[in-house]
C-alpha cells in the first residue's frame, strides 16, 4: 500500500453547495433524490479496541475498479473509498456503504457510530467502508461528463462495481486481502437511490452480500412521479396546505387563460415578470415544496419550509385556521416571501431567466461537462433509467404544485443537457429504461432474504418505496419493513433516534435483525475465484484529505 501524504484531494462540501436549490443540476427541473444527509465527524484520533491508533476517518484510499464489467480489457479507473476497523475482531462482518449520487468525501461520518452503519459495526465488531459511486466526485473513468462519455454510467455497472469491489479489494487492515464475501459476511447499506441500489444489488447478485439495510429505498422506478408531493401534502400544516392548493389552482387557471394583464400580474407577484415561459414560472415555485426534502426529526423554527408556511399562515401574530386565510392573503404573502428573501437565496442576484429558465440551450446547466457535477451525473440516470419526474398530480388529486408541468417538460431538458446523444425527446429512452429497471430488479416485488427496509411516513420519496400507499409488500422475518414518523433517510442518523422514538424503534429493530442474521452466516461451500484481470493491481493507495 502506497502512502502519498503530499497529494491533497480537495473536498466538495455539499453543505456549501446550493444543491437543494439547484436540483438535478438545474434550478427548475425535477428535484433529484436527496443526497443522503451528511454526518459530522469527531476530529480526535481513531483508536481500535486494542488501543492501536488508526488512520483518520478522512484518509482516502484508491481501488482499481473495472471501467466496463462487460469488457475488462478496457482496464480500470481509480475509485475512492474510506475505511476504518476500530471495532473489528476476526471473523466479523464488513459493512459497505455508498452515498450514491454525490461526492462521497463529506460522508466519512458513515464510518462511525453516529450512523446506523457504525452502530451495526460496533455491535457486530465489524469494519466499515464508504465507497464513492462511479461518475460522482473524483471516481470517474472518463475525462468529462459529456453524454457520449456516460454510456457506462448505468445501474448495472454500479451493481457490478459493488460485487467486484467486495471480491477484490485489499483492505488497509490486518488480513485485509482475505476478507472477501467468501471468507467474511458483507453487509450492504444504502439510503435513497443507494438504498434502492442495495435492494437491486441483492436481487441481481444474491450470493455476494449476506445482509442488506435499505433506507428510504426507491426500489420502484416511476416516470411520472407526482406521488413525490403526496407525503408533503399529507403531513405539512393543514392551513398551509389549504392555502398552497388555493394559490396553485389560481396559477393554473390564470396561466391557462388568455388574459395577458392577469398573467403579468401573477408573474410579477413572485418577481418573475421577465420570464416568458409560463411552465417555468409555475414550475419554479415548486422549490418551496422541495424544501420539505431537507427536513429531519430535529427540524423546527428556522427551517426554510416552516419559514415559508409561517409567512403564509401567521398574520398579525395569529395563526390561520386549518382552512387557511384564503387565496388573496396567501398569494400576497407568498409573493412577499419570495421577493424579500427567497428569490435572492435561490438565485443570488442573478437574472431570473438565467437562474430559473429551462429553455436556453446555451445555459451552463446544460453545457458544463466538467467532472464532479452530481446534478449532471444524476440527470443521466433520470433520463435513461429511473424517471422520477416530480410533476402535478392527476385531476382527482389535490394539487400543491402546478399541473402545467408534466413529463414532457423534463424530457425536453434531457435533450438540452445531452444534445450529443439525444436529438429529440423521442430519442430519450426514459419509459423503456424505467420498465427495464422494474423488470430486471423487481421493484416493489422484491423478495430477498436478510434485507431490511427502513422508511419514514413523512418522506417525499415514500411512494417509490415498499411502504408506498396502496402497495402491499409484506413485512417478514427474512425481509422486514419498519416505518417510523421520520423524513428522508432519517433512520440512518443515530441523532434522529435520540429525538424521535419511532425512528429509534426502527434502528433498534434493525440492529436486532442484523445480530440474528450475522450469527447465521457460514462460509460458502465453494470459494469464488478472485476476479483479477490482467494488468489490474489490487493494492490500494492512500491519500490524506484536508478540510478547506
Amino acid at each position: 500500500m502506497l502512502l502519498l501524504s503530499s497529494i491533497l484531494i480537495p473536498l466538495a462540501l455539499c453543505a456549501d453547495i446550493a444543491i437543494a436549490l439547484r436540483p438535478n443540476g438545474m434550478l427548475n427541473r425535477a428535484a433529484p433524490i436527496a443526497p443522503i444527509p451528511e454526518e459530522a465527524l469527531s476530529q480526535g484520533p481513531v483508536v481500535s479496541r486494542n488501543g492501536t491508533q488508526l488512520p483518520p476517518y478522512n484518509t482516502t484510499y484508491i481501488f482499481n475498479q473495472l471501467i466496463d464489467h462487460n469488457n475488462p480489457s478496457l482496464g480500470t479507473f481509480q475509485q475512492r473509498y474510506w475505511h476504518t476497523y476500530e471495532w473489528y475482531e476476526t471473523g466479523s462482518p464488513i459493512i459497505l456503504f455508498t452515498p450514491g449520487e454525490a461526492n462521497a468525501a463529506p460522508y466519512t461520518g458513515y464510518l462511525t457510530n453516529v450512523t446506523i452503519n457504525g452502530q451495526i459495526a460496533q455491535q457486530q465488531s465489524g469494519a466499515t467502508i464508504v465507497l464513492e459511486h462511479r461518475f460522482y466526485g473524483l471516481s470517474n473513468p472518463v475525462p468529462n461528463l459529456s453524454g457520449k462519455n456516460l454510456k457506462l454510467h448505468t445501474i448495472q455497472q454500479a451493481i457490478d462495481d459493488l460485487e467486484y469491489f467486495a471480491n477484490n479489494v485489499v483492505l488497509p487492515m490486518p488480513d485485509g486481502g482475505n476478507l472477501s464475501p467468501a471468507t467474511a459476511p458483507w453487509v450492504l447499506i444504502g439510503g435513497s437511490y443507494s438504498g434502492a441500489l442495495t435492494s437491486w444489488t441483492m436481487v441481481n447478485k444474491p450470493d455476494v452480500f449476506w445482509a442488506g439495510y435499505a433506507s428510504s429505498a426507491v426500489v420502484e422506478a416511476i416516470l411520472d412521479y407526482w406521488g413525490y408531493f403526496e407525503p408533503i401534502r399529507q403531513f405539512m400544516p393543514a392551513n398551509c396546505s389549504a392555502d398552497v392548493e388555493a394559490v396553485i389552482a389560481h396559477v393554473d387557471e390564470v396561466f391557462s387563460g388568455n388574459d395577458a394583464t392577469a398573467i403579468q400580474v401573477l408573474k410579477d407577484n413572485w418577481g418573475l415578470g421577465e420570464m416568458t415561459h409560463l411552465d417555468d414560472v409555475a414550475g419554479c415555485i415548486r422549490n418551496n415544496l422541495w424544501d420539505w426534502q431537507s427536513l429531519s426529526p430535529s427540524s423546527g423554527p428556522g427551517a426554510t419550509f416552516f419559514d415559508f408556511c409561517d409567512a403564509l399562515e401567521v398574520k398579525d401574530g395569529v395563526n390561520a385556521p386549518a382552512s387557511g386565510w384564503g387565496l388573496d392573503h396567501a398569494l400576497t404573502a407568498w409573493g412577499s416571501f419570495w421577493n424579500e428573501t427567497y428569490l435572492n437565496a435561490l438565485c443570488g442576484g442573478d437574472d431570473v431567466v438565467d437562474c430559473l429558465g429551462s429553455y436556453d440551450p446555451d445555459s451552463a446547466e446544460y453545457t458544463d461537462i466538467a467532472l464532479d457535477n452530481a446534478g449532471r451525473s444524476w440527470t443521466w440516470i433520470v433520463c435513461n433509467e429511473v424517471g422520477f419526474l416530480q410533476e402535478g398530480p392527476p385531476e382527482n388529486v389535490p394539487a400543491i404544485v402546478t399541473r402545467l408541468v408534466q413529463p414532457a417538460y423534463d424530457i425536453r431538458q434531457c435533450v438540452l443537457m445531452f444534445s450529443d446523444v439525444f436529438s429529440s425527446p423521442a430519442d430519450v429512452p426514459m419509459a423503456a429504461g424505467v420498465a427495464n429497471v422494474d423488470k430486471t430488479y423487481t421493484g416493489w416485488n422484491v423478495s430477498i432474504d436478510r434485507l431490511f427496509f427502513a422508511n419514514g411516513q413523512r418522506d417525499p420519496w415514500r411512494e417509490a418505496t415498499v411502504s408506498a400507499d396502496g402497495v402491499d409488500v409484506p413485512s417478514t422475518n427474512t425481509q422486514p419493513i419498519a416505518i417510523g414518523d421520520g423524513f428522508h433517510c432519517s433512520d440512518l442518523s443515530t441523532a434522529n433516534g435520540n429525538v424521535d422514538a419511532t425512528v429509534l424503534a426502527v434502528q433498534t429493530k434493525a440492529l436486532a435483525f442484523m445480530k440474528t442474521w450475522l450469527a447465521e452466516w457460514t462460509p460458502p461451500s465453494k470459494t469464488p475465484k478472485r476476479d483479477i484481470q490482467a494488468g489490474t493491481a489490487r493494492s490500494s493507495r492512500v491519500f490524506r484529505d484536508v478540510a478547506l
Side-chain angles (χ1 to χ4, degrees):
M1 182 171 63
L2 180 63
L3 175 63
L4 299 176
S5 59
S6 63
I7 297 180
L8 306 180
I9 300 179
L11 303 184
L13 299 177
C14 293
D16 294 334
I17 300 173
I19 194 166
L21 299 180
R22 291 184 175 265
N24 265 5
M26 287 176 287
L27 283 170
N28 201 25
R29 66 167 301 137
I33 295 177
I36 293 169
E38 299 167 20
E39 286 293 344
L41 280 174
S42 167
Q43 298 303 311
V46 182
V47 180
S48 72
R49 283 176 170 170
N50 65 11
T52 302
Q53 185 162 330
L54 305 180
Y57 296 125
N58 64 355
T59 302
T60 302
Y61 302 95
I62 298 297
F63 175 72
N64 293 310
Q65 181 63 262
L66 291 179
I67 294 171
D68 183 356
H69 294 274
N70 298 316
N71 185 7
S73 67
L74 291 180
T76 65
F77 70 96
Q78 294 186 335
Q79 187 172 32
R80 298 194 300 174
Y81 73 98
W82 296 260
H83 164 72
T84 193
Y85 59 101
E86 62 180 300
W87 302 292
Y88 185 76
E89 296 177 7
T90 302
S92 297
I94 307 299
I95 314 299
L96 176 62
F97 167 84
T98 175
E101 71 281 27
N103 182 308
Y107 290 86
T108 49
Y110 284 82
L111 299 173
T112 77
N113 61 4
V114 301
T115 64
I116 192 67
N117 308 40
Q119 290 284 316
I120 294 170
Q122 188 174 32
Q123 173 183 273
Q124 303 298 143
S125 302
T128 53
I129 302 168
V130 171
L131 179 67
E132 190 165 66
H133 194 295
R134 64 167 50 209
F135 289 92
Y136 292 97
L138 303 184
S139 297
N140 294 280
V142 293
N144 61 59
L145 300 178
S146 70
K148 291 180 179 178
N149 278 345
L150 291 169
K151 64 181 181 179
L152 294 175
H153 181 28
T154 68
I155 290 169
Q156 187 59 54
Q157 290 282 346
I159 290 171
D160 293 342
D161 283 352
L162 296 172
E163 176 189 38
Y164 188 78
F165 179 87
N167 282 328
N168 293 281
V169 68
V170 177
L171 292 171
M173 62 182 289
D175 204 26
N178 191 35
L179 293 172
S180 75
T183 56
W186 281 59
V187 178
L188 184 60
I189 297 181
S192 194
Y193 158 68
S194 74
L197 193 62
T198 296
S199 177
W200 297 337
T201 299
M202 293 186 70
V203 167
N204 193 250
K205 310 286 185 182
D207 298 324
V208 176
F209 297 96
W210 181 251
Y213 181 102
S215 172
S216 296
V218 287
V219 295
E220 183 80 0
I222 301 170
L223 193 153
D224 184 359
Y225 186 47
W226 59 267
Y228 174 94
F229 297 102
E230 277 300 280
I232 304 174
R233 184 180 66 84
Q234 293 167 3
F235 287 98
M236 67 190 289
N239 52 10
C240 191
S241 175
D243 278 342
V244 168
E245 286 180 40
V247 171
I248 293 302
H250 178 68
V251 167
D252 284 2
E253 180 181 5
V254 172
F255 283 179
S256 298
N258 298 313
D259 188 336
T261 300
I263 289 172
Q264 188 63 42
V265 168
L266 201 50
K267 290 194 298 181
D268 289 339
N269 185 69
W270 281 279
L272 305 175
E274 297 176 9
M275 298 182 71
T276 57
H277 295 280
L278 298 182
D279 50 0
D280 276 350
V281 178
C284 74
I285 60 176
R286 288 178 296 176
N287 278 280
N288 293 119
L289 283 305
W290 282 328
D291 286 331
W292 179 274
Q293 187 166 273
S294 301
L295 297 177
S296 73
S298 61
S299 298
T304 303
F305 185 88
F306 295 137
D307 284 348
F308 162 66
C309 278
D310 285 348
L312 269 62
E313 303 309 323
V314 179
K315 182 168 59 173
D316 299 326
V318 177
N319 290 326
S323 58
W325 292 119
L327 174 62
D328 291 344
H329 173 79
L331 185 61
T332 301
W334 197 339
S336 296
F337 179 73
W338 265 63
N339 288 297
E340 292 171 7
T341 59
Y342 196 78
L343 186 56
N344 186 63
L346 203 59
C347 296
D350 291 346
D351 177 83
V352 295
V353 178
D354 292 340
C355 174
L356 296 168
S358 68
Y359 282 84
D360 180 4
D362 297 321
S363 168
E365 302 291 352
Y366 298 129
T367 61
D368 181 3
I369 60 174
L371 298 177
D372 197 12
N373 182 341
R376 186 175 182 87
S377 294
W378 175 245
T379 301
W380 177 259
I381 296 297
V382 166
C383 296
N384 286 278
E385 298 198 83
V386 299
F388 291 133
L389 308 179
Q390 290 118 66
E391 323 292 29
E395 290 294 338
N396 62 335
V397 177
I400 57 173
V401 297
T402 180
R403 291 190 177 94
L404 299 180
V405 172
Q406 294 298 322
Y409 176 84
D410 296 288
I411 294 171
R412 168 185 58 81
Q413 294 178 64
C414 292
V415 178
L416 294 173
M417 181 165 276
F418 305 111
S419 59
D420 58 334
V421 292
F422 304 138
S423 58
S424 74
D427 296 333
V428 179
M430 190 182 298
V434 166
N436 181 66
V437 165
D438 290 335
K439 178 181 179 181
T440 303
Y441 310 117
T442 71
W444 285 322
N445 296 315
V446 58
S447 180
I448 288 292
D449 287 347
R450 299 180 299 279
L451 175 56
F452 188 94
F453 284 107
N455 293 314
Q457 291 281 12
R458 291 168 171 78
D459 182 6
W461 292 96
R462 187 193 69 204
E463 295 304 281
T465 75
V466 293
S467 299
D469 289 342
V471 174
D472 186 19
V473 181
S475 178
T476 67
N477 285 333
T478 56
Q479 186 178 284
I481 302 169
I483 187 165
D485 292 336
F487 295 84
H488 192 59
C489 296
S490 295
D491 52 276
L492 289 178
S493 170
T494 54
N496 288 327
N498 294 334
V499 298
D500 188 318
T502 68
V503 173
L504 178 60
V506 170
Q507 296 166 337
T508 302
K509 188 174 183 179
L511 289 169
F513 273 104
M514 289 295 168
K515 183 176 183 179
T516 298
W517 292 339
L518 289 165
E520 296 169 350
W521 182 82
T522 55
S525 57
K526 294 183 179 180
T527 302
K529 186 179 293 184
R530 290 172 74 84
D531 224 353
I532 307 172
Q533 305 297 329
T536 299
R538 291 190 290 107
S539 62
S540 298
R541 289 191 291 164
V542 59
F543 299 82
R544 298 289 186 190
D545 278 345
V546 293
L548 298 181

